[in-house]
Amino acid sequence: MNFLEEKILSDGNIRQGNILKVDNFLNHQIDIDIMRQIAYELKRRFRNTTVNKVLTIEASGIAIATILGDMYDVPVVFAKKSETANSTDDKYVSQAYSFTHKKMNNVFVSKPYLHDTDKVLIVDDFLADGQAMHALIDLVHQAGGEVAGIGIAIEKGQQKGGQVLREEGYHLESIAIIDAMDWETQTIKFREQKSIMPSETKLKSE
């Protein structure tokens, strides 16, 4: 079991509807030590990959992307979901359905921040059906850049996003892959990865 799986078991909570709440350390309150470990592990897994830009989507992926960008010493770009007064019309736009907010979002990156020479590592906190990832991939392709890889903190393996992306040929690395979870028993099963053994363990009570 790796550090992120252990953190999920100790601090996470399963809710009805296949919802895993980890907002006390990942996507509301930020545990900086865990973020550093996630960034370090992703950089280790992509150690043989050339990266000159890190891309994520607002807002939860920004913390991981920023630390990872610092480790690579490359710019970090995040796709925006909402227009502001200073948004430029000169931008790449794609669409992603938000299962959290139950709506389709336009996501965009201003054209000066993505180029055809970029080798982009896309990162995010969660991967479920892959809607956000495909939107980010589309933005990179619109710019003529190359997707160097996709790095995820937590992948919901019982949903199709990871499988589809791997079948499409993308180098996808997820630090924790959840194959099953049960809110009634508060148990979670992680997929075996390399030397990490699968586990099914009861989450600690809140």
Side-chain angles (χ1 to χ4, degrees):
M1 185 179 298
N2 67 31
F3 70 93
L4 185 54
E5 294 167 345
E6 290 175 351
K7 186 69 172 177
I8 293 167
L9 292 176
S10 66
D11 289 17
N13 183 262
I14 303 168
R15 300 290 174 86
Q16 269 187 290
N18 199 34
I19 296 170
L20 175 65
K21 285 186 67 65
V22 288
D23 56 353
N24 62 339
F25 69 88
L26 186 62
N27 51 22
H28 192 16
Q29 176 174 267
I30 303 298
D31 185 319
I32 297 300
D33 182 56
I34 288 293
M35 292 296 167
R36 288 195 192 98
Q37 291 183 69
I38 290 170
Y40 179 86
E41 177 62 13
L42 289 176
K43 190 169 188 296
R44 185 189 71 80
R45 294 191 186 194
F46 289 100
R47 60 189 176 277
N48 296 321
T49 303
T50 300
V51 173
N52 67 358
K53 191 160 289 181
V54 176
L55 174 67
T56 190
I57 189 168
E58 65 174 0
S60 301
I62 294 175
I64 300 169
T66 300
I67 298 175
L68 192 57
D70 180 59
M71 290 180 176
Y72 274 107
D73 193 24
V74 300
V76 174
V77 178
F78 66 90
K80 294 187 175 184
K81 297 177 184 176
S82 57
E83 299 280 354
T84 60
N86 61 356
S87 295
T88 175
D89 290 332
D90 194 21
K91 55 183 176 284
Y92 302 110
V93 182
S94 191
Q95 288 190 321
Y97 182 77
S98 171
F99 289 90
T100 302
H101 299 101
K102 307 299 182 188
K103 67 175 184 177
M104 188 70 73
N105 290 315
N106 283 332
V107 298
F108 69 91
V109 170
S110 296
K111 287 187 176 181
Y113 306 135
L114 282 177
H115 307 103
D116 58 6
T117 55
D118 285 336
K119 298 182 184 300
V120 182
L121 178 57
I122 299 173
V123 300
D124 207 358
D125 60 338
F126 267 94
L127 172 62
D129 278 359
Q131 294 275 332
M133 287 301 101
H134 279 105
L136 295 178
I137 289 168
D138 183 38
L139 294 175
V140 174
H141 288 168
Q142 286 183 47
E146 175 186 339
V147 177
I150 300 170
I152 300 294
I154 302 172
E155 176 183 336
K156 291 186 174 181
Q158 70 271 44
Q159 293 179 250
K160 64 182 181 179
Q163 177 184 343
V164 169
L165 288 165
R166 292 181 179 97
E167 288 175 351
E168 291 173 347
Y170 293 104
H171 179 189
L172 168 62
E173 294 286 347
S174 299
I175 298 175
I177 303 177
I178 295 171
D179 275 337
M181 55 185 179
D182 188 322
W183 73 273
E184 291 182 327
T185 61
Q186 288 294 295
T187 54
I188 186 166
K189 182 178 181 181
F190 294 105
R191 184 176 305 174
E192 180 181 359
Q193 294 193 74
K194 300 172 184 175
S195 62
I196 302 170
M197 297 301 294
S199 60
E200 186 165 357
T201 309
K202 187 175 177 64
L203 295 176
K204 292 183 178 178
S205 299
E206 287 186 305

